[in-house]
């Protein structure tokens, strides 16, 4: 797969390890192409990046493993892929390597490339403000630049000598990108029919752990709102699992897996029940009141509880400095806890407008109304290459 760059433009290697990174990578590639049409991409990515022209070195979903006990059986194969990715970069000699999130994989690749004369850029700062602050010093030892999504992150890394640029959160690029009328028309939904979005995660392990709890919640909601419907925006790699698991659910779930249907579903939804992750910010950006519920393996959860030094896992809550979005995590991730809060959001309740107002405030802090984060990231990467 090694080849020479004959286009005249830069050759950039991108490495993404999961669905959210693939989304970031796809937007980044599109932005770089707008600023530098002669660019050529190599590396590892998923469907979104492949749609922008990347031929992935190996299937990206091989790296989408989360949690201590979940990752252990996959360690030998992951180590093989880390070595393969680093060796590929050494043979291809790109003008820059941009790793995207997935720090356990990305940083091991970066360490192997230290001192090889290739600028190393990482997109999405690790959450050192939440746990393991010492990571900032470690990654400053091999990275050349860091692109941060949150406004309070750069100082953690700059004090260790790592140039860091706050570019804004890429999710703000999709604000109000959905169409309510199109979604309701496509699925035969009356304008006054309540619509609840259910988002159980983007990994099979998440989906299988959360769906039983989510089902209990939906069964209770169905008893109070028998005419409501639920929509399940998901990603292609878990769409079959979600569809199969939800066949017998009440309220006739509508499973959608394309980007446009996802945006339309967010625009049409009255409120949402979601797994923890970037999806919470996506919902906030779309103005959808929601609650977060999440569980990891008991051992992983026990370790995390002793390491994490923040009391919220939701980006909007972190940026605002207050708990706007309710969270039900680990032992609190039970249907009986979630049902009354979700019921209030689905009805006519002041908390709906309180959340929406807070979403607007958070979006401004995350870069909404400024240049698109992907454009800023592209500009920074191309500037680093030019200076090289």
């Amino acid at each position: 797969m090694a080849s020479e760059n004959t286009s005249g433009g830069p050759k950039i290697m991108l490495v993404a390890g999961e669905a959210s990174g693939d989304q970031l990578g796809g937007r980044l590639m599109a932005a770089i192409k707008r600023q530098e049409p002669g660019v050529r991409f190599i590396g590892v990515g998923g469907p979104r990046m492949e749609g922008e022209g990347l031929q992935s070195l190996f299937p990206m979903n091989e790296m989408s493993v989360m949690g201590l006990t979940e990752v252990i059986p996959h360690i030998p194969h992951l180590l093989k892929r880390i070595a393969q990715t680093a060796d590929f970069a050494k043979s291809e000699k790109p003008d820059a390597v941009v790793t995207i999130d997935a720090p356990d994989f990305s940083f091991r690749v970066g360490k192997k490339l230290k001192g090889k004369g290739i600028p190393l850029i990482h997109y999405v700062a690790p959450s050192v403000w939440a746990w393991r602050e010492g990571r900032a010093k470690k990654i400053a030892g091999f990275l050349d630049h860091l692109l941060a999504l949150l406004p309070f992150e750069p100082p953690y890394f700059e004090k260790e000598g790592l140039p860091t640029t706050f570019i804004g959160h890429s999710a703000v690029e999709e604000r109000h990108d959905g169409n309510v009328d199109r979604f309701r028309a496509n699925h035969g939904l009356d304008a006054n029919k309540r619509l609840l979005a259910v988002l159980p995660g983007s990994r099979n392990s998440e989906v299988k752990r959360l769906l039983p709890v989510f089902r209990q919640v939906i069964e209770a909601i169905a008893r109070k709102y028998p005419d409501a419907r639920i929509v399940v925006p998901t990603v292609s790699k878990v769409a079959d699992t979600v569809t199969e698991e939800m066949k017998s659910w009440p309220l006739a779930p509508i499973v959608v897996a394309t980007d446009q249907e996802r945006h339309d579903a967010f625009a049409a939804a009255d409120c949402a029940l979601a797994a923890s992750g970037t999806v919470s910010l996506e919902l906030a950006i779309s103005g959808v009141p929601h609650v977060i519920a999440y569980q990891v393996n008991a051992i992983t959860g026990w370790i995390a509880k002793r390491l994490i030094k923040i009391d919220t896992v939701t980006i909007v809550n972190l940026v605002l400095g207050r708990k706007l979005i309710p969270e039900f995590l680990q032992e609190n991730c039970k249907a009986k806890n979630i049902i009354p809060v979700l019921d209030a959001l689905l009805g006519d309740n002041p908390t709906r407008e309180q959340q929406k107002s807070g979403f607007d405030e958070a979006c401004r802090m995350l870069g909404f109304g400024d240049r698109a984060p992907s454009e800023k990231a592209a500009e920074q990467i191309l500037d680093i290459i030019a200076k090289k």
Side-chain angles (χ1 to χ4, degrees):
M1 192 175 278
S3 59
E4 294 183 5
N5 183 15
T6 58
S7 66
K11 178 166 64 174
I12 300 175
M13 181 170 172
L14 303 170
V15 180
E18 53 191 8
S20 58
D22 183 45
Q23 295 287 326
L24 286 171
R27 294 192 200 102
L28 176 62
M29 289 172 69
I32 292 175
K33 286 191 288 187
R34 286 190 290 271
Q35 296 182 30
E36 181 55 73
V39 68
R40 178 170 167 259
F41 298 108
I42 58 173
V44 181
R48 183 74 176 261
M49 293 168 69
E50 289 171 344
E52 292 292 341
L54 180 74
Q55 183 181 355
S56 187
L57 182 61
F58 52 81
M60 183 195 74
N61 59 16
E62 292 185 12
M63 293 186 285
S64 300
V65 184
M66 183 179 182
L68 178 63
T69 58
E70 291 89 344
V71 79
I72 288 173
H74 299 275
I75 287 175
H77 188 68
L78 289 171
L79 292 175
K80 177 183 175 182
R81 290 306 195 194
I82 289 165
Q84 180 185 4
T85 304
D87 289 344
F88 182 67
K90 293 171 188 175
S91 66
E92 282 279 312
K93 298 180 174 59
D95 294 290
V97 170
V98 182
T99 51
I100 306 172
D101 210 358
D104 289 336
F105 189 93
S106 296
F107 293 162
R108 284 173 172 80
V109 172
K111 288 175 184 177
K112 289 180 177 293
L113 295 177
K114 178 184 177 182
K116 302 301 179 184
I118 306 170
L120 302 176
I121 304 161
H122 187 68
Y123 190 2
V124 182
S127 305
V128 298
W129 36 267
W131 70 306
R132 291 171 57 197
E133 189 172 338
R135 287 178 295 169
K137 183 175 183 178
K138 290 180 180 178
I139 68 171
F142 60 88
L143 287 180
D144 295 298
H145 204 96
L146 184 63
L147 302 175
L149 275 58
L150 303 177
F152 54 78
E153 291 179 317
Y156 286 94
F157 303 94
E158 290 172 337
K159 72 178 183 180
E160 304 296 347
L162 176 59
T164 304
T165 303
F166 166 59
I167 58 169
H169 204 291
S170 66
V172 303
E173 297 185 43
E174 297 184 357
R175 192 170 198 194
H176 306 314
D177 194 28
N179 187 303
V180 179
D181 295 334
R182 177 170 56 203
F183 183 84
R184 289 188 175 271
N186 286 346
H187 298 282
L189 302 177
D190 296 336
N192 59 353
K193 188 178 288 290
R194 285 184 174 88
L195 183 66
L196 170 65
V198 175
L199 299 108
S202 61
R203 303 177 183 87
N204 277 301
S205 59
E206 292 175 328
V207 169
K208 290 176 180 177
R209 188 171 287 119
L210 292 175
L211 278 183
V213 176
F214 283 18
R215 176 172 185 154
Q216 292 175 38
V217 174
I218 297 306
E219 286 173 344
I221 295 294
R223 288 192 287 270
K224 183 169 182 178
Y225 303 104
D227 294 330
R229 292 292 300 276
I230 60 175
V231 59
V232 190
T234 187
V235 294
S236 57
K237 69 179 181 180
V238 297
D240 290 343
T241 300
V242 169
T243 301
E244 182 64 28
E245 292 286 337
M246 301 182 84
K247 276 183 178 177
S248 60
W249 279 36
L251 303 182
I254 302 166
V255 179
V256 298
T258 69
D259 287 344
Q260 189 58 66
E261 285 182 308
R262 181 184 184 87
H263 301 156
D264 289 353
F266 285 175
D270 293 296
C271 68
L273 169 62
S276 176
T278 307
V279 68
S280 176
L281 181 57
E282 293 180 62
L283 289 166
I285 286 165
S286 297
V288 184
H290 61 284
V291 301
I292 294 299
Y294 202 70
Q295 284 180 323
V296 294
N297 176 281
I299 296 174
T300 303
W302 184 86
I303 295 171
K305 191 172 183 178
R306 282 149 182 79
L307 293 176
I308 292 175
K309 57 185 180 182
I310 54 173
D311 61 357
T312 178
V313 298
T314 306
I315 291 175
V316 169
N317 291 350
L318 285 165
V319 170
L320 292 176
R322 63 181 188 273
K323 290 188 177 180
L324 179 73
I325 301 169
E327 299 172 338
F328 300 93
L329 311 175
Q330 289 305 98
E331 62 271 14
N332 293 321
C333 183
K334 292 183 171 60
K336 66 179 182 180
N337 298 333
I338 300 167
I339 291 164
V341 180
L342 192 63
D343 181 23
L345 288 179
L346 196 56
D348 185 15
N349 189 290
T351 56
R352 287 180 54 82
E353 293 308 313
Q354 290 171 6
Q355 278 204 14
K356 288 187 175 185
S357 177
F359 294 161
D360 289 338
E361 181 184 352
C363 286
R364 287 191 296 271
M365 297 173 70
L366 289 166
F368 182 71
D370 197 358
R371 288 179 62 212
S374 61
E375 294 290 341
K376 291 181 180 179
E379 182 178 69
Q380 186 66 57
I381 291 165
L382 290 171
D383 184 58
I384 290 169
I385 291 173
K387 289 179 178 176
K388 172 195 171 186

